Amino acid sequence: MATNKIGSSENKKFFLTTPIYYVNDIPHLGHAYTTIMADVIKRYKTMRGYDVFFLTGTDEHGQKIEKNASIKGITPKELADSVVIRFRELWDRLNVDYDKFIRTTDDYHVEGVKKIFKKVQEKGDIYPGDYKGHYCVSDESFVSDMAEDSSAGNKICPDCGRETEKVVEKCYFFKLSAYQEKLLKFYDDNPDFIQPASRMNEVKSFVKMGLRDLSITRSTVSWGIPVPEDEDQTIYVWFDALTNYITGINYLEEDDTFKDMWPADLHIMAKDILKFHAVYWPAFLMSAGLPLPKKELIHGWWLKDEKKMSKSIGNVLDPNVLFEHFNSDAIRYFLMREAPIGADGNFSHQGFITRVNTDLSNDWGNLISRTGGMIEKYLKNNFSGSSTTGEREIEVMEKYSEMEESVINFFDEYKFNRGIEKIFEYIGYLNRYIVETQPWNLAKDDSRKEELEGVLITLVKAILSINYLLSPIIPETSAIVSDIFNNDSSGFGWKDTGDSFSIRKVEQLFPRVDLKDFLKSEENKKKEATKTGTPEKKEKDEMEDGLISFDDFMKVEMVIALVNNAEKIENADKLLKLEVNTGSEDRTLVAGIALHYSPEDLIGRKIIIVKNLKPVKLRGVLSQGMILAASDKDGRPYIPEIPSETPVGAVLK
Ligand code: MSP
């Protein structure tokens, strides 16, 4: 499905992006919304004659991923590899036809980020300093001193409401303050840069309040791209992530592809990351001497039970759950129909099922099956070529043209919900047309056969014309409908079938799903999950916030042990063999600390050990537990000091 097509043609190019998603979280309906919207825009723009390139991917560096991976006991790259598969699978399932999937751990991206960093450095916009402030790990964002305090004395992140961490570290700053006036001028010169306009006003007020220089490196985060010529620092994850929009189209080589594609025509995202895209990103690009993106489309949030769907609230909806009852088109349709682009949308199972049943099963599905059924029954699936076109039929055509024009206007402005609304008004009109012309009565009278064919052929042409308009939203169904009516002609306007043609048997396009069945299976699943905690749910929970339950913590048995003997293990520079007493028994441990501790440092010392770890054999010695030590980013161990009066065998909890 995903092709790696980069290139120019005679068509106008259109370069389109989604945010790249964090890999600490499995994909949910909120991510699906943005990505489906991008796919709909790709398909629609292609219909409008553009040569579209659609870039999506994953954001894999930074403190949040580092932390989550360490909690799970795997490397950040291992964590990323497992989650990336989930994103790609979901996009395939939802028929998302992206052209390139970028991962920020890809080499060409890493090198591209270093390249733009150096450009900004050469411009004189980067200087070393000390950062002392607050950091929101969840948003990967520096929080101002003006933010509210929590009861624990930490600042609260104004964007997500979580408690921040205090940070004191050496770093490099980006001279964001130098771009305040340039940004304001850019917004004034390009009033359509941000859509909807209300979001542009937010951005302007934010910038007018004053911009402070931005720390763009971290010295306490090792999971990131090293700063060129200062490997103690890694590049701030947002500087890294935003750069994907250019590295994904060959910024490293700055070849013809890059020159053809950049600047982007459209960045799509939700309002949570507006500041990064509308303030920081343009400033970085100005500094690097690159043109700015043409437009940013900012949509609202999907809420569930009136709250933002998000991993920390725990109200995320995995679209895979919907696949048990619905196909991908039902999900795509609901998301595009239900939420106006700028506003928030509330997801409820009831709202979902009602929308899908009413519009897709009743209105669209029924129009097709009724029309197909009549063609089968009265014409044996064949149009003979002799039909009459009355005034009524001309009105059907004219109404189509009016409707299509307004749909194109709405779709051009990315107001998909409004466009779809117009299409369905027209579908309702066609269903009434059937009732009014009563083909079943025309069929009773042989002398009215031409009139009957006239009504049915008008319906087929209308269906095919609508089908093209709906194709970016529900591509799978659209292909089936073209197949049923043996007509896959593309292009806007009233479709021509020719006079004599035959159709295939109509299948049911959107079987109605009963709300009770839907809710029942959901309810059962929830009950099951709370009873047993399904592996999927547990995995999801852990993935979502990096937290483990108290019960999980209590599974680890840690005690104070006394080191009775210690010696080096032959031919293993890093390993020491320790004989310890745990209060109830003697045990042997193998510890990878020999580069930093000698046997004499440890004999007679109290240490903390994990007692219930599965024994493993290391260099022929059976290790029956693990010593606890802190580790810095180079892996140097630090064994904690235990107060001398602590009894051997005392339990840590
Ligand atoms: N990694 C950054 C983006 C870097 S882009 C250079 C990030 N990732 S994220 O995984 O948190 O994704 C945020 C984006 O996912 C939102 O801007 C939006 O596009 C989408 N959504 C996530 N939750 C959503 C909702 N509940 N509702 C609508 N969109 C949602 O931020």
Side-chain angles (χ1 to χ4, degrees):
M1 161 173 310
T3 53
N4 266 329
K5 146 196 95 118
I6 300 187
S8 55
S9 77
E10 304 89 59
N11 288 341
K12 294 167 279 183
K13 72 95 188 174
F14 193 87
F15 175 35
L16 164 74
T17 69
T18 68
I20 48 170
Y21 304 108
Y22 287 129
V23 289
N24 67 310
D25 195 9
I26 53 172
H28 60 66
L29 201 76
H31 305 121
Y33 178 51
T34 316
T35 314
I36 288 172
M37 188 185 296
D39 184 66
V40 169
I41 293 176
K42 170 177 175 174
R43 291 171 191 269
Y44 175 68
K45 283 281 171 191
T46 307
M47 286 158 62
R48 298 283 276 149
Y50 288 85
D51 187 6
V52 183
F53 189 79
F54 167 13
L55 175 70
T56 189
T58 41
D59 187 354
E60 305 187 4
H61 290 127
Q63 193 171 347
K64 178 156 64 172
I65 316 289
E66 186 175 70
K67 224 171 159 176
N68 269 302
S70 112
I71 288 167
K72 290 175 86 72
I74 53 177
T75 64
K77 184 65 169 45
E78 282 166 345
L79 173 64
D81 288 347
S82 67
V83 179
V84 163
I85 296 171
R86 309 282 278 266
F87 274 99
R88 280 181 179 270
E89 274 173 1
L90 182 62
W91 301 158
D92 284 351
R93 228 176 155 184
L94 286 166
N95 276 317
V96 172
D97 188 19
Y98 55 82
D99 295 291
K100 181 161 178 138
F101 191 101
I102 185 168
R103 300 182 55 177
T104 54
T105 47
D106 289 339
D107 286 345
Y108 64 89
H109 171 78
V110 171
E111 294 311 313
V113 171
K114 289 184 188 165
K115 174 174 167 176
I116 186 173
F117 191 94
K118 281 192 219 149
K119 283 257 151 93
V120 174
Q121 224 165 12
E122 282 157 18
K123 176 83 193 295
D125 281 338
I126 291 181
Y127 63 92
D130 292 294
Y131 178 77
K132 193 163 174 284
H134 319 276
Y135 194 75
C136 171
V137 177
S138 178
D139 284 359
E140 296 282 11
S141 153
F142 296 94
V143 168
S144 113
D145 289 339
M146 317 282 276
E148 221 179 285
D149 285 314
S150 73
S151 52
N154 290 320
K155 294 286 169 199
I156 308 258
C157 171
D159 295 324
C160 71
R162 293 189 192 89
E163 201 157 317
T164 60
E165 286 182 358
K166 290 199 180 84
V167 172
V168 180
E169 62 186 34
K170 293 221 163 303
C171 69
Y172 290 94
F173 283 96
F174 170 72
K175 283 188 192 162
L176 184 63
S177 56
Y179 288 89
Q180 178 165 346
E181 290 315 315
K182 289 180 193 130
L183 285 168
L184 288 171
K185 180 167 185 325
F186 171 74
Y187 303 142
D188 283 341
D189 293 346
N190 299 276
D192 297 329
F193 173 54
I194 306 286
Q195 186 183 327
S198 55
R199 300 271 169 231
M200 176 60 122
N201 296 336
E202 272 173 38
V203 171
K204 279 188 186 168
S205 339
F206 174 81
V207 175
K208 277 183 190 155
M209 270 170 18
L211 294 176
R212 298 176 61 179
D213 290 350
L214 178 72
S215 164
I216 50 156
T217 67
R218 304 285 318 262
S219 56
T220 53
V221 177
S222 48
W223 180 235
I225 300 177
V227 168
E229 281 152 44
D230 188 349
E231 304 256 319
D232 289 341
Q233 300 269 342
T234 54
I235 294 176
Y236 174 40
V237 64
W238 270 102
F239 187 93
D240 165 352
L242 288 160
T243 303
N244 94 87
Y245 298 134
I246 53 175
T247 54
I249 49 165
N250 301 358
Y251 169 66
L252 185 59
E253 290 86 11
E254 252 174 282
D255 57 8
D256 287 345
T257 297
F258 180 73
K259 289 179 191 139
D260 287 343
M261 299 280 221
W262 191 255
D265 293 272
L266 191 66
H267 289 322
I268 308 178
M269 75 212 72
K271 56 189 176 183
D272 48 345
I273 53 176
L274 176 62
K275 174 179 73 186
F276 300 96
H277 284 80
V279 182
Y280 298 174
W281 180 225
F284 297 155
L285 288 167
M286 283 178 184
S287 172
L290 290 168
L292 307 198
K294 292 188 194 151
K295 193 186 258 306
E296 299 188 346
L297 179 63
I298 316 299
H299 63 69
W301 282 330
W302 273 95
L303 314 172
K304 185 143 174 277
D305 312 319
E306 306 295 334
K307 291 195 205 90
K308 184 197 170 197
M309 205 178 275
S310 94
K311 54 206 174 238
S312 58
I313 299 176
N315 61 344
V316 290
L317 187 98
D318 178 355
N320 287 306
V321 169
L322 298 175
F323 279 116
E324 286 173 24
H325 301 270
F326 301 95
N327 66 13
S328 108
D329 280 352
I331 302 171
R332 293 170 62 104
Y333 176 78
F334 171 79
L335 292 174
M336 289 301 105
R337 169 65 183 84
E338 207 64 9
I341 277 217
D344 293 341
N346 194 38
F347 182 89
S348 75
H349 289 88
Q350 169 131 26
F352 181 84
I353 203 164
T354 307
R355 175 59 74 196
V356 171
N357 278 345
T358 309
D359 292 6
L360 295 181
S361 307
N362 290 3
D363 296 350
W364 184 227
N366 262 354
L367 174 67
I368 293 165
S369 56
R370 270 172 111 182
T371 305
M374 289 189 291
I375 298 170
E376 188 179 349
K377 193 162 166 199
Y378 307 137
L379 307 180
K380 306 275 167 293
N381 280 350
N382 288 303
F383 283 90
S384 68
S386 55
S387 60
T388 51
T389 309
E391 264 174 39
R392 195 75 176 83
E393 284 64 49
I394 291 171
E395 188 194 278
V396 173
M397 274 186 261
E398 285 171 354
K399 282 225 179 300
Y400 177 81
S401 304
E402 282 164 31
M403 179 276 285
E404 188 186 76
E405 198 184 322
S406 80
V407 171
I408 289 177
N409 286 336
F410 282 129
F411 282 11
D412 279 347
E413 292 175 15
Y414 310 123
K415 293 181 177 158
F416 292 101
N417 67 320
R418 300 292 306 279
I420 296 172
E421 212 176 335
K422 289 278 164 214
I423 298 175
F424 276 81
E425 276 170 20
Y426 183 72
I427 291 173
Y429 162 81
L430 287 178
N431 276 322
R432 288 196 299 282
Y433 168 71
I434 298 180
V435 176
E436 284 159 24
T437 49
Q438 301 189 341
W440 45 92
N441 280 337
L442 299 178
K444 286 183 196 152
D445 184 346
D446 265 355
S447 69
R448 302 185 77 181
K449 174 106 195 313
E450 290 185 1
E451 259 179 86
L452 172 68
E453 274 207 21
V455 171
L456 294 180
I457 206 166
T458 303
L459 285 169
V460 173
K461 288 174 181 173
I463 287 171
L464 287 168
S465 310
I466 297 168
N467 193 44
Y468 187 68
L469 286 185
L470 283 176
S471 63
I473 324 267
I474 48 172
E476 207 175 302
T477 311
S478 193
I480 299 173
V481 173
S482 300
D483 197 49
I484 290 173
F485 294 102
N486 272 325
N487 187 313
D488 60 1
S489 60
S490 54
F492 292 98
W494 186 248
K495 291 277 173 302
D496 192 3
T497 52
D499 290 337
S500 70
F501 64 99
S502 52
I503 73 158
R504 291 179 215 276
K505 193 163 172 50
V506 175
E507 55 184 281
Q508 198 178 12
L509 294 175
F510 294 98
R512 272 182 75 87
V513 177
D514 190 62
L515 178 62
K516 268 199 238 126
D517 292 343
F518 184 38
L519 292 180
K520 211 192 302 159
S521 68
E522 285 298 298
E523 209 37 53
N524 286 344
K525 220 177 292 137
K526 262 191 214 148
K527 272 195 210 138
E528 209 41 46
T530 38
K531 237 183 6 206
T532 57
T534 60
E536 292 78 10
K537 180 171 185 304
K538 280 192 70 192
E539 187 192 346
K540 201 166 118 208
D541 289 348
E542 287 164 13
M543 195 81 90
E544 276 163 7
D545 45 18
L547 299 177
I548 55 168
S549 69
F550 181 70
D551 290 348
D552 284 338
F553 173 72
M554 289 305 283
K555 283 185 201 150
V556 184
E557 273 179 50
M558 288 180 285
V559 297
I560 302 295
L562 177 69
V563 182
N564 288 325
N565 195 25
E567 60 190 62
K568 289 206 161 197
I569 295 181
E570 230 178 280
N571 297 328
D573 299 348
K574 293 185 185 157
L575 300 182
L576 282 188
K577 178 174 148 192
L578 310 179
E579 304 291 348
V580 303
N581 183 275
T582 66
S584 53
E585 61 189 331
D586 287 333
R587 286 198 178 191
T588 304
L589 309 184
V590 177
I593 52 177
L595 295 179
H596 303 278
Y597 289 91
S598 66
E600 297 70 47
D601 293 334
L602 291 162
I603 296 171
R605 191 166 161 179
K606 286 177 183 165
I607 58 171
I608 303 171
I609 68 158
V610 178
K611 222 176 133 186
N612 60 339
L613 206 63
K614 272 199 189 128
V616 283
K617 233 181 194 173
L618 295 165
R619 297 296 171 112
V621 182
L622 189 68
S623 180
Q624 305 160 299
M626 184 178 84
I627 177 169
L628 275 201
S631 173
D632 66 15
K633 69 178 167 43
D634 302 320
R636 202 224 124 130
Y638 301 84
I639 300 174
E641 291 288 344
I642 308 295
S644 57
E645 64 276 21
T646 319
V648 173
V651 177
L652 281 100
K653 49 184 177 181

